[in-house]
Amino acid sequence: MLNRAELSAVMSVYRSVRVGMVLGLGLVWRTVRQCEGRAGLRAVSGSAAVQGLRAGEHSWLCGSTAAVLHTVQGRVEVRQNFITEEEENALLQELEPGLKKKRYEFDHWDDAIHGYRETERAQWGSVCTGLLSRVRGVAFPEGSPLLGPVHVLDLDKAGYIKPHVDSVKFCGSTIAGLSLLSDSVMRLVLEDNSAEWVDLLLSRRSLYILRDEARFKFTHEILKDADSYFLGQRVPRQRRISVICRNLPV
């Protein structure tokens, strides 16, 4: 049986621990709100965002938990400055004449894209042929059957790509895309648990690669300009062209 003095000491310790827990939870929630960027983005339930697989490992990657980052380890990749400014210009010189003949569409056959125009291209000049060979060389396993035409998606400044999973009937295990004209944020959300998410910072002239589980167990989207934040930092979205290579289903 505790005497009065011992009981008082125990209660004092309990109050200190309780205050510490409240302050700690408050710090976690503030960190969550910073990574959300805005209240309109998905809430991160129960934990702060984690950057990289270890502190500071990837400046282009953050997620809701360490567990979800381990899930996508080796299955998501962003290579910054994969092409030069001159190579970007070479791509634009080939693409702009055809794109200018099209109008931006603000609906889509499966409601996946808003504010876009698109095309496919099989023939390229020598500079673009070389850089697309470089994309395929780093993104796809040697001997992997590739989808012949390259998909080109032009998003208006007001455009965005809604959460979706590509059809397995038309796409293989890997997708690789060059980002032209603008930085943007790609968000992956686990289909079975929407509280688990990963954000990729796609800087201008970078190459992103999604493989296997990152392709088929997560939705992916390009955030609209109003929601374009990465780790609490604004990432202004301008007009964005993506040049996308895919392999064929096996």
Side-chain angles (χ1 to χ4, degrees), residues 108-123:
H108 188 261
W109 65 273
D110 62 357
D111 198 34
I113 315 175
H114 180 85
Y116 74 102
R117 50 192 182 185
E118 63 184 336
T119 189
E120 289 185 338
R121 192 177 182 94
Q123 301 297 321

Side-chain angles (χ1 to χ4, degrees), residues 50-62:
V50 181
Q51 183 173 6
L53 300 173
R54 294 184 298 272
E57 185 180 30
H58 296 310
S59 60
W60 47 265
L61 175 68
C62 75

Side-chain angles (χ1 to χ4, degrees), residues 1-249:
M1 192 74 179
L2 298 175
N3 60 36
R4 185 181 297 274
E6 289 171 331
L7 181 60
S8 176
V10 169
M11 292 302 296
S12 177
V13 171
Y14 168 76
R15 284 192 295 271
S16 297
V17 170
R18 186 179 179 187
V19 169
M21 290 175 65
V22 170
L23 291 174
L25 288 172
L27 178 60
V28 167
W29 181 243
R30 286 194 297 273
T31 307
V32 169
R33 297 300 294 173
Q34 283 181 342
C35 193
E36 275 189 290
R38 288 194 174 188
L41 299 185
R42 280 189 185 82
V44 183
S45 301
S47 68
V50 181
Q51 183 173 6
L53 300 173
R54 294 184 298 272
E57 185 180 30
H58 296 310
S59 60
W60 47 265
L61 175 68
C62 75
S64 51
T65 63
V68 76
L69 292 177
H70 279 288
T71 298
V72 300
Q73 184 177 13
R75 299 175 178 91
V76 299
E77 184 177 356
V78 177
R79 298 196 177 199
Q80 310 287 0
N81 298 308
F82 185 80
I83 62 172
T84 65
E85 186 174 348
E86 291 74 21
E87 289 172 325
E88 179 186 45
N89 288 334
L91 286 166
L92 293 173
Q93 285 174 11
E94 293 204 33
L95 295 173
E96 287 285 28
L99 289 172
K100 286 180 178 178
K101 296 176 183 178
K102 299 176 178 289
R103 298 177 62 182
Y104 284 107
E105 302 287 341
F106 288 85
D107 54 16
H108 188 261
W109 65 273
D110 62 357
D111 198 34
I113 315 175
H114 180 85
Y116 74 102
R117 50 192 182 185
E118 63 184 336
T119 189
E120 289 185 338
R121 192 177 182 94
Q123 301 297 321
W124 299 84
S126 59
V127 173
C128 296
T129 296
L131 70 88
L132 289 170
S133 294
R134 200 163 81 240
V135 168
R136 291 173 174 132
V138 301
F140 303 101
E142 187 174 354
S144 175
L146 302 179
L147 190 64
V150 173
H151 182 204
V152 178
L153 182 62
D154 180 359
L155 277 183
D156 182 67
K157 176 179 169 58
Y160 54 93
I161 302 176
K162 300 177 183 180
H164 69 285
V165 177
D166 293 332
S167 171
V168 296
K169 294 180 180 179
F170 306 109
C171 306
S173 62
T174 304
I175 182 172
L178 293 168
S179 298
L180 312 182
L181 294 178
S182 178
D183 299 343
S184 60
V185 177
M186 176 180 283
R187 173 161 294 165
L188 311 180
V189 177
L190 191 61
E191 274 204 295
D192 294 338
N193 182 1
S194 61
E196 293 281 26
W197 56 268
V198 172
D199 279 355
L200 308 178
L201 177 61
L202 307 183
S203 60
R204 183 177 180 177
R205 295 188 289 275
S206 67
L207 172 71
Y208 73 83
I209 304 169
L210 305 180
R211 298 184 176 95
D212 303 321
E213 283 89 343
R215 291 268 289 107
F216 301 124
K217 293 188 177 180
F218 291 77
T219 63
H220 59 276
E221 62 190 289
I222 295 293
L223 300 182
K224 63 179 69 174
D225 179 54
D227 296 337
S228 189
Y229 284 78
F230 182 82
L231 284 174
Q233 297 298 310
R234 182 85 168 93
V235 181
R237 260 281 324 283
Q238 307 298 325
R239 177 191 175 205
R240 174 183 184 266
I241 295 177
S242 50
V243 178
I244 305 165
C245 298
R246 296 179 172 90
N247 60 356
L248 291 169

